[in-house]
Amino acid sequence: MSLLSVDGLVARHGLLEAVCGVQFRLEAGETLAIVGANGAGKTTLLRAIAGAHPIAAGTVSFRGEDVTALPAHRRTAAGLALVPEGRRLFGQMTVEENLMLGRFAGRTGSWTVERVMDAFPNLKERRRAKCSHLSGGEQQATAIGRALMTNPELLILDEVSLGLSPLIVDRVYEQIDGLVREGTTIILVEQNLSRALEVASNVICMLEGQIVLAGAAGTLSRDDVTNAYFGLGRVRAHGGTP
Ligand code: ATP
């Protein structure tokens, strides 16, 4: 049984079909990078999986259970956490208060405020600072920390490096590497292809709401991914995912 199964998923914005019948499987312990040009449908797909965007057709199953009709908070409680694009923190609340929201929303497990502080040492001195006063890197660390506090089995990261300096992006990716080594299953959307290919075990490339290339990262060349990204040349799907 796959940890996540997405079948025939359709999601719309009004009349626009942003995700057009997407299908893939994700096994426990895999790291899936979803790449694609602006407007390819990546964010809509992630939000639909997490329950933050309505699903017009198709199904999402998590740990063998059909969660298509479950609201976002029930999916979080089941072990599926989304770090949304733009972080969406509560600016008037402190770092610690934002982290505790994750604790209340999720499952019991080993993630505590202290463990998040150890994972993101840049937050230690900012623990009681309001989130609206944080730098971009500190906000991103808080957003990832809040998701980790739900003790997720599947962590979904939407463009976590957007707007951050290269140094801070390195730090965020060190933490993602650590999570991967611990066996956390991850889906990440990343604009930086090199980063995505470095960290991922599997890659999906989307174009105009559809998967145009999918496979194990080791079996795809950078040219394969770049061509699919821009809709150039013959498109192919490898074994593995989906
Ligand atoms: P980006 O990298 O720019 O975030 P993306 O691959 O994540 O792109 P989506 O944000 O999912 O793509 O957008 C998919 C399509 O849906 C695009 O055509 C986009 O213009 C459209 N879209 C996204 N959000 C909305 C919205 N709130 N209202 C209307 N259309 C939207």
Side-chain angles (χ1 to χ4, degrees), residues 1-21:
M1 179 187 69
S2 302
L3 181 67
L4 180 78
S5 302
V6 174
D7 286 295
L9 194 146
V10 176
R12 302 195 175 102
H13 295 280
L15 293 177
L16 175 82
E17 200 164 283
V19 177
C20 319

Side-chain angles (χ1 to χ4, degrees), residues 22 81 223:
V22 160
D223 281 352

Side-chain angles (χ1 to χ4, degrees), residues 13 16 18 37-44 85 159 191:
H13 295 280
L16 175 82
N38 285 346
K42 307 177 298 293
T43 293
T44 309
E85 195 178 3
E159 302 216 21
Q191 285 290 350

Side-chain angles (χ1 to χ4, degrees), residues 148-220:
L148 291 173
M149 289 285 288
T150 69
N151 289 291
E153 206 164 335
L154 171 59
L155 178 64
I156 304 180
L157 302 162
D158 194 359
E159 302 216 21
V160 285
S161 57
L162 203 69
L164 302 182
S165 70
L167 191 70
I168 302 296
V169 174
D170 283 347
R171 277 215 207 127
V172 168
Y173 268 87
E174 273 168 29
Q175 293 310 319
I176 294 175
D177 275 344
L179 295 172
V180 169
R181 280 197 298 276
E182 282 173 15
T184 310
T185 310
I186 294 178
I187 301 180
L188 59 93
V189 162
E190 174 55 76
Q191 285 290 350
N192 183 328
L193 264 189
S194 305
R195 290 258 179 209
L197 295 176
E198 262 168 41
V199 73
S201 59
N202 296 71
V203 179
I204 278 177
C205 184
M206 287 183 75
L207 182 72
E208 296 174 358
Q210 295 181 333
I211 294 178
V212 288
L213 184 72
T219 67
L220 300 175

Side-chain angles (χ1 to χ4, degrees), residues 73-74 76-78 93 96-109 111-113 145-151:
H73 69 276
R74 298 265 311 271
T76 307
M93 292 168 68
E96 188 167 359
E97 288 165 346
N98 269 276
L99 294 179
M100 288 310 290
L101 290 178
R103 176 70 175 266
F104 298 136
R107 311 184 303 165
T108 51
W111 282 98
T112 59
V113 172
R146 185 176 60 182
L148 291 173
M149 289 285 288
T150 69
N151 289 291

